Amino acid sequence: MRKPFVAGNWKMNTDSHSSVELAKRVASGSSQVADQSVTVAVCPPFVYLQSVARALSTSSIAVSAQDIYFEPKGAFTGEISASMLKDIGCSFVLCGHSERRHVVGETDELINKKVAAALAGGLLPILCVGELLAERDAGQTEQVVNRQLKNGLADLSVEKVSAVTIAYEPVWAIGTGRTATPQQAQEAHDFIRKLLAQMYNERLAEEIRILYGGSVKPANAADLMPQQDVDGLLVGGASLNAEDFLAIIQAAV
Ligand code: 13P
């Protein structure tokens, strides 16, 4: 049985006060279900990670970074290492989010190094994959996801990969209000799970969690979650509103 997993990616939003307030409201509103029935994580901006982690230290909500750098330390101005994230109480980290891929220009090769560094540093990576609208329209969804998954997980052992969560986030559904239909999400997740079975083994494929992301709202969460291969949700905009995020968590239980 895969435990449902709901993560809120705050992206470049909130401030020092509102980040802590939002985290506290999420913690108090989900205390009956977080951890026991559903893994819940929030992904604040780097600068608020520590204060959010402190505010959540007595709760069952996990803290995730939105990105990481692959080197352990040294002259890498502006970058943040796995050990720094671990040090301030992070347990998860997003790797290869579509905005890192398409706005910042991260490559599969760089993302692979980040996943490996996260695992080596004791963090749990959430590897994000997903096609652009033009790629979907050209019938290339499976090809793109295949490439991102194989390259993103390159040279990692089965044991390492078993600590990874996959997030399928079609780029055309992110921040557009145009969510994938439950069938589209299920098709992509089924493809990913079968691919993982081929790449590793059936057991790993059955156990790994695959989250859907892209315009998830309280109104569509209840239709996405019952899909057989949708194990959770990676929520952007709606995670900035405590009531909406809590409603999404409830839909995942
Ligand atoms: P939205 O929920 O705002 O579409 O963002 C999705 C996302 O990118 C989460 O990582």
Side-chain angles (χ1 to χ4, degrees):
M1 260 311 271
R2 300 181 293 267
K3 193 197 281 187
F5 185 177
V6 178
N9 177 8
W10 298 353
K11 307 191 181 184
M12 200 170 72
N13 293 295
T14 70
D15 58 28
S16 58
H17 178 75
S18 66
S19 56
V20 169
E21 286 308 304
L22 177 56
K24 284 184 182 163
R25 290 181 66 191
V26 170
S28 68
S30 64
S31 60
Q32 300 299 310
V33 292
D35 202 31
Q36 296 102 308
S37 329
V38 52
T39 306
V40 179
V42 293
C43 320
F46 277 134
V47 286
Y48 308 130
L49 278 171
Q50 190 164 19
S51 46
V52 166
R54 248 187 234 126
L56 294 177
S57 61
T58 56
S59 80
S60 301
I61 311 287
V63 179
S64 171
Q66 298 176 14
D67 188 28
I68 186 175
Y69 195 58
F70 63 87
E71 294 286 1
K73 63 176 181 172
F76 303 101
T77 302
E79 298 294 348
I80 305 283
S81 70
S83 61
M84 291 172 179
L85 295 174
K86 192 84 187 153
D87 182 38
I88 55 146
C90 274
S91 41
F92 291 91
V93 58
L94 303 181
C95 295
H97 188 275
S98 84
E99 286 140 23
R100 306 281 330 157
R101 291 177 188 269
H102 300 294
V103 180
V104 182
E106 290 194 4
T107 61
D108 281 332
E109 191 192 7
L110 175 62
I111 293 159
N112 175 240
K113 288 182 181 170
K114 292 185 172 194
V115 173
L119 289 166
L123 294 169
L124 301 168
I126 302 173
L127 172 63
C128 305
V129 298
E131 80 288 359
L132 297 163
L133 182 58
E135 292 166 336
R136 174 163 282 263
D137 288 346
Q140 294 168 348
T141 298
E142 295 190 349
Q143 193 184 320
V144 170
V145 170
N146 178 69
R147 190 199 72 226
Q148 292 175 336
L149 210 59
K150 286 194 175 147
N151 293 343
L153 297 174
D155 302 323
L156 294 171
S157 65
V158 184
E159 292 69 40
K160 292 269 190 198
V161 176
S162 66
V164 175
T165 299
I166 306 296
Y168 170 66
E169 298 203 301
V171 182
W172 47 270
I174 296 178
T176 58
R178 182 183 161 189
T179 187
T181 64
Q183 292 71 24
Q184 284 172 323
Q186 169 56 25
E187 264 173 34
H189 285 223
D190 174 62
F191 172 76
I192 291 169
R193 202 176 302 285
K194 290 193 172 130
L195 191 58
L196 290 166
Q198 270 173 33
M199 289 164 64
Y200 304 99
N201 57 52
E202 287 287 345
R203 182 159 169 215
L204 176 130
E206 274 308 308
E207 290 178 355
I208 206 162
R209 290 185 288 188
I210 309 175
L211 317 184
Y212 167 80
S215 296
V216 174
K217 305 280 179 259
N220 56 33
D223 295 327
L224 289 159
M225 278 309 296
Q227 299 301 313
Q228 196 185 333
D229 292 292
V230 175
D231 305 317
L233 302 163
L234 180 52
V235 187
S239 71
L240 295 168
N241 177 297
E243 278 71 48
D244 284 355
F245 191 55
L246 289 167
I248 292 169
I249 293 168
Q250 286 303 330
V253 172

